[in-house]
Amino acid sequence: MKKTNKLFIRAVLQAILVFTIIGFLITFLQSRYPDNHISLDTGWTIIYNGQVYNDVTLSQFQFQHNTQPGDVITLKNTLPKNVPANATLRILNYLTCVDVRINGVKIYTYGHDLMANHIMVGSGYHFIPLLDKSSGQTIEVEFTPSERNAFSNIPVFWVMPTSDAYTEFAADNLWDLFSGIFLFVMGVCVLLLASISAIKKTVYTRLINISLFSMLIGIWILCNSKVIELFTVNYSVFTQIEYPSLFLSVVSMCFLIRDMRQDSVLWKRMILDLCCVVLIIFNIIAIILHLSGIAHFPSLLSVFHGLLLVIFAVFIIAGFQSFKTMPITDQVINIAFLVICLFAAFDLLRFNIQKFLFPSLKNFDLSILPYGTMIFIILLLVSYIFYIYEMVIKRVEAEALEKAAYRDPMTGLYNRAYCEKLFKEYSENSNQYAIVHFDVNGLKKMNDTYGHVAGDELLIIFAELLEKIFSDF
């Protein structure tokens, strides 16, 4: 057992080390903006609700009141004189219609038709080709929020050569791209493994929950970080995928916790079951409200955050067990849940602080949940592998004990104890059976003439013939 524990700990540490190295490499490879990438951060005039804000720095600006659907927010500035030819304007917006004008000429519009039809506008990066010779021209950007409190600050705009737009975007979000695809592919692989386990009638429900959680979080990371735009630019669709994938991932994780916490205490089991039911009901209500247009997914995010904190607290209390009495696989599972809870709690805190209190904090808009999820999934998978290993060991030991109890050690044939067990089962089930009785002639003469070793060899040969002839019975 000590050897197994050492192997387990070594495997966990090696897996975490590998992904830590990958994380550092990706961070090192992330882009550093060259000189021809221009930040449009300062010098803005913002007009909102009849108020005019002059000489605004976007990275430090915050709205004093919550934005409402239908509000019009106008931003005006003058483009620098060093704007490169064939340039692209990159704008990040949240749940908002966008109009862009250069010297009063509209060059881009998005979202008004969706908003008019009560369809969620979506969030994402807009890559807008600028007119030739835009240097020194007046730029006007108009935002019309489609949801209540769609945003509390305005992300900085960037101007860059069109040829660099998507490559820089991919480089900026390299870690999110890697972790999202990795978690989704891992989830698919684990789901295939669960299918094989189901065919072989081994434990597979835990694998299914791990695979669903991994795939859903992978999808959420790709949509939340907007790197999904490398594959599709339908803002409305991937934003509508982003929220359900987050909501449903918590359901799969709660079922996973419930599966791993088969507690004998009735009230604990009932509380864990109730938490799962509450989350399922929340998801059903959220989908109905969204599809009916009464309340889109983003408006339910605060409710989800509050519910998530309560559910996690309840799971920690109801799922508590003495750490010292657990096998090492359960200890690592508890550590995994502690990791994901801490990362999720910090991410909730970060999101709300950055959105409502200090929007100008640099790098505070970066989610750390992908890192926590990677560690969580790795710990769960390694734990499951050793869990299966322990099950195989126990099964082999059980089969060895059964063989020792019910089989003759020399011939390998079933012994009298097994026959009595079989007769008892037949009698209880009222099954009809027949008995064939025979003897081995000349065995005593063989023992007396050639010795007991030769007699034993005769019995072994006889047993092999007997198994061969009666193999169908």
Side-chain angles (χ1 to χ4, degrees):
M1 184 60 69
K2 289 183 178 179
K3 184 178 180 181
T4 302
N5 292 352
K6 288 181 180 179
L7 288 173
F8 181 86
I9 295 171
R10 187 183 301 170
V12 171
L13 293 177
Q14 288 175 346
I16 294 176
L17 178 62
V18 168
F19 282 96
T20 302
I21 293 173
I22 292 174
F24 277 116
L25 287 174
I26 290 175
T27 303
F28 177 76
L29 292 172
Q30 283 185 324
S31 69
R32 304 292 184 269
Y33 291 116
D35 294 337
N36 60 350
H37 291 195
I38 305 168
S39 170
L40 302 183
D41 187 20
T42 59
W44 287 93
T45 298
I46 298 179
I47 305 171
Y48 174 57
N49 281 346
Q51 291 184 313
V52 179
Y53 305 88
N54 293 308
D55 197 21
V56 171
T57 299
L58 294 183
S59 59
Q60 299 176 1
F61 180 78
Q62 183 178 10
F63 291 102
Q64 297 177 357
H65 305 285
N66 294 334
T67 57
Q68 301 295 329
D71 288 350
V72 177
I73 303 162
T74 304
L75 296 85
K76 295 181 179 181
N77 205 341
T78 301
L79 290 172
K81 294 184 178 181
N82 60 339
V83 171
N86 194 20
T88 291
L89 173 67
R90 190 177 78 180
I91 296 176
L92 172 61
N93 87 309
Y94 297 98
L95 308 168
T96 304
C97 305
V98 182
D99 294 292
V100 179
R101 297 178 179 86
I102 300 292
N103 278 357
V105 179
K106 184 180 289 187
I107 64 169
Y108 184 80
T109 184
Y110 168 79
H112 294 284
D113 53 340
L114 296 172
M115 185 176 174
N117 292 314
H118 304 288
I119 299 173
M120 190 163 69
V121 172
S123 306
Y125 287 90
H126 296 258
F127 295 87
I128 306 164
L130 296 177
L131 300 174
D132 291 336
K133 299 181 181 180
S134 294
S135 297
Q137 303 297 314
T138 301
I139 181 171
E140 181 180 318
V141 180
E142 189 175 274
F143 290 139
T144 307
S146 64
E147 304 285 341
R148 182 180 177 274
N149 199 24
F151 55 87
S152 56
N153 66 312
I154 302 173
V156 177
F157 304 161
W158 284 87
V159 174
M160 61 190 67
T162 301
S163 58
D164 295 345
Y166 278 97
T167 54
E168 289 296 335
F169 171 67
D172 285 345
N173 298 277
L174 197 57
W175 173 255
D176 290 322
L177 180 63
F178 167 77
S179 57
I181 293 176
F182 175 81
L183 287 171
F184 181 79
V185 173
M186 178 184 284
V188 173
C189 294
V190 174
L191 188 61
L192 293 175
L193 182 60
S195 303
I196 296 172
S197 299
I199 293 172
K200 293 183 176 295
K201 298 181 179 179
T202 57
V203 179
Y204 62 91
T205 55
R206 186 176 299 184
L207 278 179
I208 290 177
N209 287 321
I210 291 175
S211 68
L212 290 176
F213 179 75
S214 184
M215 285 190 292
L216 288 168
I217 286 293
I219 293 171
W220 175 78
I221 290 171
L222 293 174
C223 294
N224 180 258
S225 63
K226 317 308 176 193
V227 291
I228 193 72
E229 289 187 40
L230 295 171
F231 310 100
T232 176
V233 196
N234 194 324
Y235 306 105
S236 178
V237 170
F238 68 68
T239 304
Q240 292 185 71
I241 294 173
E242 173 187 344
Y243 291 92
S245 61
L246 177 63
F247 297 164
L248 291 172
S249 67
V250 180
V251 176
S252 62
M253 189 179 74
C254 287
F255 273 103
L256 179 61
I257 299 173
R258 176 185 172 276
D259 178 58
M260 294 178 174
R261 286 287 172 271
Q262 296 296 335
D263 204 293
S264 58
V265 182
L266 180 60
W267 72 267
K268 288 187 177 182
R269 293 205 311 269
M270 291 179 64
I271 288 178
L272 297 179
D273 291 341
L274 180 62
C275 289
C276 294
V277 171
V278 168
L279 283 170
I280 292 173
I281 292 174
F282 170 80
N283 276 271
I284 293 173
I285 293 174
I287 292 172
I288 292 173
L289 291 176
H290 177 81
L291 294 177
S292 63
I294 297 174
H296 289 152
F297 291 130
S299 61
L300 302 172
L301 195 58
S302 297
V303 178
F304 173 73
H305 287 170
L307 182 63
L308 194 61
L309 291 174
V310 173
I311 293 291
F312 277 176
V314 170
F315 264 91
I316 290 172
I317 296 171
F320 177 79
Q321 293 179 337
S322 177
F323 196 78
K324 292 183 179 180
T325 59
M326 296 178 186
I328 188 167
T329 51
D330 285 354
Q331 289 178 0
V332 174
I333 288 171
N334 277 270
I335 293 173
F337 286 129
L338 181 61
V339 167
I340 194 67
C341 286
L342 289 175
F343 273 80
F346 183 85
D347 215 49
L348 288 177
L349 186 65
R350 174 207 60 79
F351 173 82
N352 287 283
I353 289 176
Q354 194 273 334
K355 183 171 183 178
F356 299 109
L357 298 177
F358 304 105
S360 61
L361 288 176
K362 292 183 178 180
N363 297 326
F364 213 62
D365 58 340
L366 301 176
S367 174
I368 64 167
L369 194 57
Y371 299 87
T373 304
M374 298 278 278
I375 297 173
F376 177 73
I377 294 295
I378 291 168
L379 289 174
L380 284 185
L381 287 177
V382 175
S383 173
Y384 183 80
I385 291 170
F386 277 86
Y387 171 73
I388 294 297
Y389 172 77
E390 290 178 354
M391 285 188 60
V392 170
I393 294 297
K394 290 179 181 179
R395 182 176 297 179
V396 170
E397 291 175 350
E399 290 176 354
L401 291 172
E402 183 180 355
K403 185 176 181 180
Y406 291 126
R407 287 187 180 271
D408 177 69
M410 183 178 68
T411 62
L413 295 176
Y414 288 116
N415 58 17
R416 177 175 176 175
Y418 182 79
C419 290
E420 290 177 350
K421 173 177 172 290
L422 203 61
F423 292 156
K424 183 179 179 180
E425 291 176 358
Y426 284 162
S427 299
E428 290 175 351
N429 297 327
S430 301
N431 292 335
Q432 295 182 351
Y433 59 89
I435 297 176
V436 178
H437 180 268
F438 45 82
D439 192 13
V440 179
N441 294 326
L443 179 60
K444 185 178 185 304
K445 184 177 180 181
M446 174 69 73
N447 288 333
D448 293 341
T449 306
Y450 300 103
H452 287 280
V453 174
D456 291 345
E457 290 178 357
L458 177 63
L459 286 175
I460 292 171
I461 294 171
F462 170 74
E464 292 174 351
L465 291 172
L466 191 63
E467 283 189 325
K468 184 177 180 181
I469 294 170
F470 291 93
S471 59
D472 295 335
F473 298 94

